[in-house]
């Protein structure tokens, strides 16, 4: 949207920013000089802002490097490598990305980032708003001793990420900055401070015990890690992360991050202005004196946090160890799943404090419940023209609707395959989990096994299981979607884009690994694709089909810009459109292809399908597959106009 | 209803992916800054919410904050029943997240439907516009419909101006307190390509909106 966005360049002022934008601004004010990440909601846009800044201020390349890494473990180690030359490195990832990065971070945390600083931004996702699960990755903080900061507002995002770098350098600790889908994508005012240029160059200074955590250094570094974390624990009150709201009520509250906001508004709604509230900005480690002092005045303390009890366990432990007579409440009243809201917190607190939630809210819930069943579902689905949708259509046709077939899904846009009406995915595990599951499954069943993976996921962790499948000559079909983008997270470049410039391709990788049965197909030619899938599933051993077709969103943007530029040059362009006439209502396009640009309409009691011209991207797949020839193609300016097809990959 | 400067204004914007929900939210927030609003905090959806999915965003602001932080805007999400205004790009989306509405809520709705794949496949039913209207009547503080998509197609030959038309329609309710037309115009000039076209669309939505609201209320 921005034409000229000065929020990342101006020296001062007060601007509106999303949490993620504020994190990037804070990094610029902290002089960050290396960023590496694999895109993942809700942290993907952090990298996009860095890219925008580098594009608009080319001289910044000297001070700031941003890499889209192939996966999170690579990103974390890259950041460590940069930090160990004495610069500040930022490592954003989504919560499940931390599982991938954990192998690297477990060691990096032990060694410590000094002489540089290393801050991870981990985007959690209570409510699973943009992820396949809502794991509570806060427990990694205990496992690896990652000091963990939880911001609430964009101002805190900006101010605290700067502090995170200072702490990381001062205490030689990897600091984790934990956001959530909500804090990352909520906008508020941010007061800016001057930008500092990142270090252009650093230098690695040899230190074998610090950087080689093997026996005997492993134990020594572990001891050293405790010393570092305990020093930080003592200093917490001076850092200014934690705030106390005084009150005389004997039931107090400890909370952090987004639940703090819900809590304050819930208390106001319940008319409870006397409740002591301790807002923790740093959730690990906890300063014992600060917690003890807060608990001592109370009979009960309510810990308000989303997902599994993390703070609650630590606070109960502190109360127990210091023999404080206080009842610790939390999971008994609050759900351990899903995202919180002001309404939910108010309802739970009403029970604890013996109050009634307000009338307006209760009536709103009741009235909503009285009609919500008439609201039809609207889950995310493949865009109009999506080559993955067309491939699922081909799979359904080739297997007679998955008869005697198991389809192993994966993470990417095709994660949506399980949604009706296509329901073309039997299982999903994690990045590249589909190929791996197929390896094991195909040894134990005579069903036909099919796995799917996208190009970005293939580079992330897909090549290793493919090599294993070749090694064991596994009996399944792998479909690789090559659409040339990390599409699901908002079209970041993937590494293929750079590799293809030097003539490299997924096809060549597969051949080099040793794949014998290999075809390259186009999902806009569904009949040929169906034939190939059918042949593959009736052959023994490992088969790979690469479906090569650019993401329709990007392809359509490119085509529209070509058309606009030709038209401004005064050239005539062929105007292709598809329309339906004589529809037999066989539902082939609506139930098996299920393109969102097609709608069912009723005119004078007669039902038929129609194509929404403003949504159709003219991929022509419905025209190819209509069994009754009812979908027609019209080309205006057919003779004199220039044809603008989709670009080839 | 009279609004104090310390009152929190709550606006829900609902629609489907690609309709411009997030752009509209940004415009209102940036305009709020021009109007001298002291605090704004609102949430929007990125990521999986795209791809034809339902999108809801919450815009919240407070012209003047209390000294006591306990009374101020602290959450980017509106509490159930606390929305002052719903701006809906699609009729059924007004109901999907209807839990934030109550007797004080005003609705402006684009009545062009986007049925979704399960409706087209014949596996689910899309409620009739009459049914949707009847349901929303339960809220009793103004429910206004306009075919903003058609207005956009008629005046601009494409559907890209729907969000600015809806903004004008929403302004016409008088429910986006403390922000004036000139603030939106300034923001559009700073942030959008083709500001003239967008300002024209906003004014068109405002004029059409006034007609709709006038004929409903009389």
């Amino acid at each position: 949207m921005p034409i000229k966005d000065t929020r990342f360049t101006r020296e001062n002022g007060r601007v509106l920013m999303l949490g993620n934008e504020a994190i990037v601004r804070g990094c610029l004010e902290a002089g960050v000089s290396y960023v590496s990440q694999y895109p993942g909601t809700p942290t993907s846009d952090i990298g996009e802002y860095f890219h925008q800044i580098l594009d608009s201020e080319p001289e910044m390349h000297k001070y700031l490097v941003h890499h889209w890494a192939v996966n999170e473990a690579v990103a974390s180690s890259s950041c460590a490598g940069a930090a160990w030359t004495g610069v500040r490195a930022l490592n954003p990832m989504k919560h499940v990305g931390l599982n991938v990065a954990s192998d690297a971070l477990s060691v990096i945390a032990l060694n410590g980032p000094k002489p540089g600083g290393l801050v991870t931004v981990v985007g959690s996702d209570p409510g699973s708003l943009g992820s396949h699960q809502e794991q509570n990755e806060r427990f990694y903080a205990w496992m690896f001793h990652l000091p963990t900061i939880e911001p609430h507002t964009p101002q805190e995002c900006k101010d605290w990420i700067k502090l995170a770098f200072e702490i990381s350098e001062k205490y030689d600790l990897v600091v984790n900055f934990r956001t959530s889908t909500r804090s990352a994508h909520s906008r508020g005012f941010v007061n800016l401070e001057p930008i500092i240029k990142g270090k252009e160059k650093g230098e690695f200074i040899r230190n074998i015990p610090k950087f080689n955590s093997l026996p005997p250094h492993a134990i020594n570094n572990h001891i050293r890690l405790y010393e570092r974390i305990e020093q930080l624990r003592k200093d917490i009150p001076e850092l200014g992360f934690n705030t106390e709201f005084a009150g005389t009520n004997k039931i107090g509250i400890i909370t952090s991050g987004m639940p703090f906001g819900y809590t304050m508004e819930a208390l106001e709604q319940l008319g409870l202005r006397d409740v002591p509230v301790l807002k923790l900005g740093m959730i690990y480690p906890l300063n014992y004196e600060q917690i003890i002092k807060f608990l001592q005045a109370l009979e009960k303390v309510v810990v308000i946090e989303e997902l599994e009890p993390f703070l609650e366990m630590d606070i109960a432990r502190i109360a127990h160890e210091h023999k404080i007579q206080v009842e610790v409440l939390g999971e008994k009243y609050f759900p351990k799943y899903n995202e919180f809201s002001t309404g939910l917190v108010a309802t739970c607190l009403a029970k604890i404090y013996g109050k009634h939630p307000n009338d307006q809210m209760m009536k709103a819930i009741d009235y909503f419940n009285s009609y919500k069943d008439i609201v039809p579902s609207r889950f995310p689905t493949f865009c109009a023209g999506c080559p993955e949708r067309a491939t699922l259509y081909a799979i359904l046709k080739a297997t007679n609707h998955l008869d005697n077939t198991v389809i192993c899904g994966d993470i990417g846009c095709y994660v949506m395959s399980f949604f009706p009406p296509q329901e073309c995915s039997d299982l999903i595990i994690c990045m590249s989990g589909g190929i791996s599951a197929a390896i094991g499954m195909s040894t134990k069943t005579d069903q036909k096994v099919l796995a799917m993976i996208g190009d970005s996921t293939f580079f992330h962790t897909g090549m290793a299981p493919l090599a294993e499948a070749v090694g064991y000559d596994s009996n399944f079909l792998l479909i690789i979607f090559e659409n040339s983008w990390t599409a699901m997270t908002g079209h970041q470049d993937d590494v293929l884009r750079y590799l293809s410039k030097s003539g490299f391709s997924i096809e060549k990788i597969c051949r080099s690994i040793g794949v014998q049965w290999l075809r390259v197909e186009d999902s806009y030619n569904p009949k040929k694709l169906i034939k190939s899938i059918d042949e593959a599933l009736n052959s023994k051993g490992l088969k790979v089909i690469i479906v090569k077709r650019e993401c329709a969103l990007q392809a359509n943007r490119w085509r529209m810009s070509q058309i606009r530029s030709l038209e401004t040059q005064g050239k005539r362009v062929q105007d292709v459109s598809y329309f339906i006439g004589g529809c037999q209502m066989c539902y082939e396009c609506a139930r098996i292809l299920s393109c969102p640009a097609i709608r069912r309409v009723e005119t004078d009691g007669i039902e038929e399908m129609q194509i929404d011209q403003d949504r159709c991207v003219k991929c022509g797949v419905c025209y190819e597959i209509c069994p009754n020839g009812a979908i027609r193609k019209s080309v205006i300016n057919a003779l004199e106009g220039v044809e603008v097809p989709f670009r080839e990959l | 209803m009279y609004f104090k400067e310390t009152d929190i204004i709550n606006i829900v914007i609902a629609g489907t992916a690609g309709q411009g929900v997030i752009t509209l939210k940004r415009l209102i927030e940036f305009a709020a800054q021009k109007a001298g609003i002291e605090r704004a905090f609102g949430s929007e959806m990125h990521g999986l919410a795209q791809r034809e999915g339902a999108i809801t965003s919450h815009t919240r602001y407070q012209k003047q904050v209390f000294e006591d932080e306990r009374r101020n805007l602290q959450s980017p999400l509106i509490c159930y029943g606390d929305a002052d205004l719903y701006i809906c790009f699609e009729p059924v989306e007004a109901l999907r997240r209807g839990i934030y509405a109550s007797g004080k809520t005003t609705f402006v709705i684009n009545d062009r439907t986007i049925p979704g794949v399960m409706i087209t496949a014949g596996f689910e039913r899309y409620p009739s516009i009459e049914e949707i209207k009847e349901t929303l009547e339960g809220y009793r503080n103004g429910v206004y419909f306009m075919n903003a998509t058609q207005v956009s197609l008629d005046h601009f030959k494409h559907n890209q101006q729907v969000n600015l038309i809806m903004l004008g329609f929403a302004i016409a309710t008088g429910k986006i307190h403390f922000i004036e037309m000139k603030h939106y115009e300034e923001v559009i000039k700073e942030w959008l390509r083709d500001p003239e076209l967008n300002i024209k669309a906003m004014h068109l939505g405002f004029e059409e909106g006034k007609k709709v609201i006038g004929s409903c209320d009389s």
Side-chain angles (χ1 to χ4, degrees):
Chain A
M1 167 169 161
I3 294 177
K4 195 163 161 273
D5 193 349
T6 60
R7 293 175 302 160
F8 297 109
T9 49
R10 57 198 279 187
E11 285 294 297
N12 49 43
R14 181 170 173 264
V15 298
L16 278 161
M17 284 186 148
L18 292 175
N20 277 348
E21 291 172 333
I23 285 171
V24 171
R25 173 73 200 197
C27 286
L28 297 172
E29 293 179 8
V32 164
S33 75
Y34 183 78
V35 185
S36 184
Q37 70 179 114
Y38 183 79
T41 311
T43 55
S44 314
D45 46 328
I46 292 178
E48 289 169 19
Y49 305 132
F50 278 117
H51 267 252
Q52 282 167 21
I53 294 159
L54 288 166
D55 285 347
S56 63
E57 316 267 318
E59 71 279 13
M60 281 289 282
H61 282 279
K62 242 163 76 179
Y63 314 105
L64 176 66
V65 174
H66 181 278
H67 282 168
W68 289 118
V70 292
N71 67 38
E72 292 86 350
V74 170
S76 294
S77 294
S78 303
C79 285
W84 289 336
T85 70
V87 307
R88 289 184 165 183
L90 182 81
N91 181 203
M93 68 192 86
K94 68 186 290 157
H95 61 337
V96 290
L98 186 51
N99 301 335
V100 180
S102 63
D103 204 9
L105 281 173
S106 65
V107 177
I108 299 162
L110 202 58
N111 297 355
K114 253 188 175 175
L118 202 171
V119 175
T120 58
V121 176
V122 175
S124 66
D125 193 15
S128 206
L129 300 162
S131 316
H132 58 289
Q133 46 106 313
E134 57 169 7
Q135 72 173 28
N136 190 349
E137 82 310 314
R138 296 204 281 188
F139 293 94
Y140 278 106
W142 289 350
M143 205 158 123
F144 300 156
H145 298 288
L146 304 173
T148 300
I149 297 164
E150 270 189 12
H152 166 229
T153 60
Q155 183 73 58
E156 288 177 357
C157 285
K158 197 219 69 170
D159 292 343
W160 290 359
I161 196 102
K162 289 169 74 175
L163 265 176
F165 279 104
E166 284 172 28
I167 293 166
S168 177
E169 280 176 355
K170 182 172 172 195
Y171 298 89
D172 196 16
L173 290 163
V174 175
V175 177
N176 180 26
F177 203 76
R178 183 185 191 255
T179 63
S180 69
T181 304
R182 228 28 105 176
S183 62
H185 293 144
S186 288
R187 188 180 281 107
F189 285 109
V190 178
N191 290 311
L192 305 178
E193 291 161 285
I195 289 169
I196 294 170
K197 284 189 176 104
K199 274 191 193 164
E200 209 180 323
K201 290 283 173 204
E203 191 188 355
F204 180 79
I205 296 162
R206 201 160 198 230
N207 184 343
I208 287 180
K210 180 172 162 68
F211 298 121
N212 294 269
S213 275
L214 289 132
H217 310 312
I219 313 295
N220 291 337
N221 280 340
H222 199 176
I223 295 167
R224 209 168 49 82
L225 181 54
Y226 273 110
E227 289 166 3
R228 291 175 272 161
I229 206 87
E230 291 310 316
Q231 186 56 52
L232 173 63
R233 190 192 295 280
K234 286 196 191 90
D235 297 348
I236 288 170
E238 298 150 33
L239 298 172
F241 287 115
N242 303 338
T243 318
E244 193 178 325
F245 293 80
T248 52
N249 201 305
K250 289 289 162 196
I251 308 176
I253 291 174
I254 299 181
T255 184
S256 70
M258 299 322 274
F260 165 77
Y262 311 141
T263 301
M264 294 308 268
E265 293 200 6
L267 287 174
E268 185 64 12
Q269 189 201 108
L270 297 171
L272 289 162
R273 286 193 192 151
D274 65 343
V275 175
V277 178
L278 178 60
K279 172 181 184 263
L280 296 175
M282 183 171 270
I283 59 160
Y284 178 82
L286 297 181
N287 176 274
Y288 295 136
E289 285 68 37
Q290 205 169 39
I291 302 292
I292 293 165
K293 193 175 145 262
F294 185 75
L295 296 182
Q296 268 168 342
L298 303 174
E299 284 163 15
K300 293 179 186 178
V301 65
V302 188
V303 182
I304 304 178
E305 57 186 330
E306 290 168 316
L307 307 174
E308 285 77 5
F310 171 84
L311 284 170
E312 189 181 344
M313 282 171 71
D314 218 8
I315 287 158
R317 177 183 68 88
I318 295 169
H320 176 75
E321 278 180 13
H322 294 85
K323 302 192 171 48
I324 300 165
Q325 289 298 313
V326 64
E327 197 182 343
V328 183
L329 305 173
E331 60 164 323
K332 214 161 97 189
Y333 287 90
F334 290 84
K336 287 180 279 189
Y337 46 81
N338 213 339
E339 190 187 22
F340 284 6
S341 64
T342 302
L344 180 128
V345 173
T347 313
C348 297
L349 287 180
K351 285 181 201 147
I352 295 171
Y353 289 93
K355 295 271 177 184
H356 287 286
N358 79 6
D359 238 29
Q360 176 180 279
M361 181 174 98
M362 297 318 280
K363 277 190 191 155
I365 295 171
D366 285 346
Y367 189 56
F368 176 70
N369 285 335
S370 76
Y371 68 72
K372 68 171 190 216
D373 292 338
I374 68 162
V375 181
S377 59
R378 191 189 300 282
F379 35 76
T381 183
F382 302 95
C383 309
C386 176
E388 293 175 7
R389 171 196 301 289
T391 307
L392 299 188
Y393 169 84
I395 293 170
L396 289 167
K397 296 304 279 187
T399 60
N400 190 22
H401 295 269
L402 303 182
D403 179 35
N404 196 36
T405 308
V406 184
I407 181 151
C408 304
D410 221 296
I411 314 284
C413 286
Y414 43 96
V415 81
M416 302 183 294
S417 308
F418 75 96
F419 281 120
Q422 288 187 310
E423 294 184 315
C424 202
S425 168
D426 287 309
L427 58 96
I428 289 160
I429 307 175
C430 63
M431 295 291 278
S432 82
I435 309 183
S436 308
I439 292 173
M441 187 176 283
S442 60
T443 67
K444 292 292 166 189
T445 177
D446 291 326
Q447 291 159 296
K448 293 170 182 170
V449 180
L450 196 156
M452 307 187 279
I453 197 165
D455 44 13
S456 189
T457 310
F458 181 73
F459 283 106
H460 181 280
T461 34
M463 286 189 282
L466 179 62
E468 180 170 320
V470 172
Y472 286 120
D473 193 26
S474 298
N475 183 28
F476 68 88
L477 164 63
L478 174 65
I479 291 187
I480 304 176
F481 297 110
E482 186 181 331
N483 69 4
S484 112
W485 298 93
T486 310
M488 190 54 159
T489 49
H491 301 107
Q492 294 77 23
D493 295 355
D494 68 26
V495 72
L496 180 64
R497 184 166 300 275
Y498 303 107
L499 293 178
S500 58
K501 284 178 192 154
S502 48
F504 212 55
S505 69
I506 292 183
E507 197 183 340
K508 282 185 182 167
I509 293 169
C510 291
R511 291 248 185 252
S512 312
I513 288 177
V515 175
Q516 300 293 321
W517 198 110
L518 179 72
R519 299 241 173 111
V520 180
E521 295 289 353
D522 177 5
S523 55
Y524 287 180
N525 188 347
K527 284 173 189 151
K528 188 160 168 279
L529 178 58
I530 293 168
K531 238 179 115 210
S532 270
I533 295 171
D534 183 52
E535 272 180 54
L537 289 174
N538 287 305
S539 317
K540 282 268 171 233
L542 180 71
K543 291 83 54 177
V544 175
I545 297 176
I546 300 168
V547 177
K548 212 168 172 172
R549 175 54 70 180
E550 186 175 8
C551 164
L553 274 179
Q554 293 296 77
N556 192 46
R557 278 174 197 151
W558 176 84
R559 182 152 87 168
M560 295 316 284
S561 71
Q562 293 297 107
I563 291 172
R564 272 196 304 275
S565 100
L566 284 167
E567 281 175 346
T568 47
Q569 290 164 37
K571 291 196 180 128
R572 278 201 167 185
V573 178
Q574 284 188 6
D575 184 3
V576 179
S577 61
Y578 295 92
F579 61 96
I580 301 179
C583 177
Q584 305 289 307
M585 289 305 287
C586 71
Y587 283 98
E588 184 89 0
C589 60
R591 288 183 183 165
I592 312 178
L593 182 65
S594 75
C595 178
I598 294 173
R599 78 161 71 204
R600 185 165 48 94
V601 291
E602 202 186 305
T603 343
D604 304 328
I606 298 165
E607 276 199 333
E608 59 170 1
M609 296 296 171
Q610 234 176 44
I611 295 177
D612 280 350
Q613 294 304 326
D614 56 333
R615 311 183 78 209
C616 174
V617 302
K618 283 91 179 164
C619 72
V621 172
C622 61
Y623 170 74
E624 293 290 330
I625 59 123
C626 178
N628 306 307
I631 298 182
R632 323 281 174 86
K633 181 179 183 178
S634 112
V635 186
I636 300 171
N637 304 333
L639 292 177
E640 70 281 24
V642 186
E643 194 188 347
V644 187
F646 287 118
R647 61 184 164 188
E648 295 295 318
L649 293 180
Chain B
M1 206 166 89
Y2 175 73
F3 270 78
K4 293 196 289 289
E5 297 211 328
T6 46
D7 284 342
I8 298 168
I9 313 290
N10 294 314
I11 303 167
V12 170
I13 310 173
T16 71
Q19 286 192 304
V21 169
I22 290 178
T23 305
L24 175 50
K25 174 178 176 284
R26 285 176 195 173
L27 289 176
I28 296 175
E29 286 170 339
F30 286 122
Q33 183 176 17
K34 300 274 178 205
I37 301 296
E38 287 187 4
R39 184 168 295 186
F41 201 18
S43 169
E44 57 194 51
M45 294 300 300
H46 295 212
L48 200 66
Q50 292 178 11
R51 315 278 173 266
E52 305 285 329
I55 294 201
T56 315
S57 79
H58 294 209
T59 302
R60 312 189 70 198
Y61 60 86
Q62 195 178 0
K63 174 96 201 281
Q64 194 191 325
V65 293
F66 291 104
E67 213 161 289
D68 180 2
E69 266 303 327
R70 288 179 187 260
R71 301 172 70 185
N72 289 332
L73 169 53
Q74 299 287 359
S75 157
L77 293 179
I78 297 166
C79 187
Y80 305 142
D82 211 17
D84 301 297
L85 175 66
Y86 265 59
I87 307 173
C88 308
F89 285 65
E90 205 278 351
V92 94
E93 294 312 312
L95 299 179
R96 185 178 311 282
R97 298 278 186 264
I99 196 159
Y100 301 105
S102 66
K104 70 169 183 174
T105 313
T106 301
F107 289 79
V108 291
I109 301 169
N110 175 16
D111 62 17
R112 145 96 170 186
T113 62
I114 298 178
V117 290
M118 290 300 277
I119 310 289
T120 304
F123 296 136
E124 282 185 23
R125 189 181 152 268
Y126 192 99
S128 68
I129 289 288
E130 290 68 33
E131 217 175 334
I132 294 171
K133 283 184 179 168
E134 210 173 281
T135 307
L136 290 170
E137 283 309 315
Y139 290 118
R140 299 169 195 282
N141 196 19
V143 180
Y144 307 109
F145 287 87
M146 179 200 294
N147 193 332
T149 306
Q150 200 55 52
V151 173
S152 180
L153 289 171
D154 290 348
H155 287 82
F156 306 103
K157 295 196 174 74
H158 55 73
N159 64 2
Q160 298 298 305
Q161 297 318 120
V162 169
N163 57 353
L164 269 295
I165 292 168
M166 287 304 291
L167 173 60
F169 188 12
I171 296 167
T173 64
K175 285 281 200 154
I176 315 182
H177 295 276
F178 312 119
I179 310 176
E180 294 166 33
M181 198 56 104
K182 63 174 185 206
H183 301 129
Y184 297 107
E185 289 176 359
E186 278 178 55
V187 168
I188 291 170
K189 281 178 196 158
E190 274 172 40
W191 287 87
L192 295 189
R193 289 190 179 84
D194 210 341
E196 256 173 60
L197 181 78
N198 283 300
I199 289 171
K200 195 176 151 198
M202 176 177 69
H203 282 286
L204 183 65
F206 182 74
E207 294 306 326
E208 292 293 314
K210 276 205 300 197
K211 280 186 222 159
V212 171
I213 294 162
S215 69
C216 285
D217 290 353
S218 59

